[in-house]
Amino acid sequence: MRISELSRRSGVPNATIKFYLREGLLPPGRATAATQAEYGDQHLRRLRLIRALIGVRGLTVQQTRDVLGAVSENEADLHQVLGLVLGARPVDKENAEPVRGPAGKEPNPAGTGPRPAEVEAETAATKTETGPSEEEPDPSEADAGRSEVDELLAEMGWEISPYSPAQGVVAETLETMRSLGADYSWRSLLPYARIAEETAVLDLDQLDEEDDLLERAERAVLLTILLEPALLALRRLAQENESAKRHSR
């Protein structure tokens, strides 16, 4: 197909496709003339994955190029490919560090959202009242946060990469809840983890419907990032319904 057809079928403007070609995100087409080229279905599938990584996951062009390069190197390992496009596996494993515990927090990954505003406000108020703390974070707190996540994963029997940023989110959430006086431990998350496990089965079943690697990768990004707000909304709706059944007169 010509670039105009590639644009029509992908929904990506011609100028953007040319930019991706110049930046090396999209491989060149087969030259048919000095200024013309033809593109195939593989270009279309790769273009859709690029759109998902940049437009949905929010990666930069450089980050997308790095992810696509790593995907090409790991095409035989679907588990690794899915981890790369979802951010659960580092592109540069040699220079990557395992996820740290709460005392050495990393920025929240895309899709997990910021800390609650009231928590930030309380933290700011505490700093104003007491002044800046000169104490270094207690390493034992970080170890405790990581230990709790490790115990949760062991109890569930889950095989998780040490680089997965979701582990840090769980550890930080547990620490935040306890800092607000909530008696909440990793065991409190077990029922939710089992529900999440069932959801993961549904997700992966949908990925199995696709045969092409790039289409699976694109669908994984869409199912994970785009569906998360809807899943949270469904939880809110279910809570309202359950409250109505229990408490409405």
Side-chain angles (χ1 to χ4, degrees):
M1 70 188 88
R2 298 286 182 87
I3 193 170
S4 57
E5 176 68 7
L6 181 62
S7 173
R8 186 187 68 80
R9 292 179 60 182
S10 67
V12 179
N14 277 15
T16 303
I17 294 176
K18 291 178 181 178
F19 171 73
Y20 291 159
L21 288 166
R22 290 195 302 271
E23 292 296 317
L25 273 69
L26 197 64
R30 184 177 67 85
T32 57
T35 59
Q36 292 185 345
E38 287 186 344
Y39 303 89
D41 289 339
Q42 192 72 359
H43 288 88
L44 179 61
R45 288 190 285 267
R46 187 178 176 97
L47 190 55
R48 287 173 173 164
L49 177 56
I50 293 169
R51 181 181 59 181
L53 292 173
I54 293 178
V56 177
R57 258 204 74 194
L59 299 187
T60 65
V61 169
Q62 179 60 52
Q63 289 170 331
T64 301
R65 185 190 297 113
D66 293 342
V67 169
L68 291 172
V71 166
S72 297
E73 294 175 4
N74 293 272
E75 287 187 352
D77 187 346
L78 179 59
H79 179 58
Q80 180 72 5
V81 167
L82 296 180
L84 287 165
V85 298
L86 294 175
R89 295 288 189 280
V91 173
D92 183 5
K93 193 170 184 179
E94 292 183 1
N95 297 316
E97 294 183 1
V99 173
R100 298 198 295 269
K105 295 181 180 68
E106 296 288 352
N108 282 351
T112 62
R115 297 179 71 191
E118 60 271 21
V119 176
E120 299 290 359
E122 180 172 318
T123 302
T126 301
K127 288 182 178 178
T128 301
E129 294 172 4
T130 63
S133 173
E134 297 181 359
E135 296 181 5
E136 292 295 325
D138 186 352
S140 64
E141 294 181 6
D143 293 340
R146 279 294 313 145
S147 176
E148 283 201 291
V149 177
D150 290 339
E151 288 188 75
L152 174 62
L153 298 179
E155 180 70 21
M156 293 298 299
W158 287 355
E159 181 182 344
I160 304 296
S161 164
Y163 304 100
S164 174
Q167 297 177 78
V169 175
V170 174
E172 181 177 345
T173 300
L174 289 173
E175 182 200 35
T176 300
M177 293 185 72
R178 282 195 295 269
S179 73
L180 295 176
D183 183 16
Y184 215 83
S185 73
W186 66 270
R187 293 186 180 279
S188 306
L189 291 177
L190 281 174
Y192 295 98
R194 295 186 181 105
I195 295 172
E197 194 169 52
E198 295 178 8
T199 303
V201 171
L202 293 175
D203 290 339
L204 271 293
D205 283 347
Q206 293 183 67
L207 295 185
D208 288 342
E209 296 173 3
E210 303 289 349
D211 295 326
D212 184 83
L213 174 69
L214 295 182
E215 289 183 351
R216 282 189 177 188
E218 178 210 6
R219 190 169 180 84
V221 175
L222 299 181
L223 281 174
T224 301
I225 308 299
L226 290 186
L227 264 187
E228 282 184 344
L231 295 179
L232 180 59
L234 286 172
R235 183 190 182 197
R236 296 283 190 267
L237 294 171
Q239 288 174 339
E240 180 180 350
N241 174 67
E242 186 64 21
S243 177
K245 290 194 296 184
R246 294 189 185 195
H247 308 302
S248 62
R249 296 177 181 177

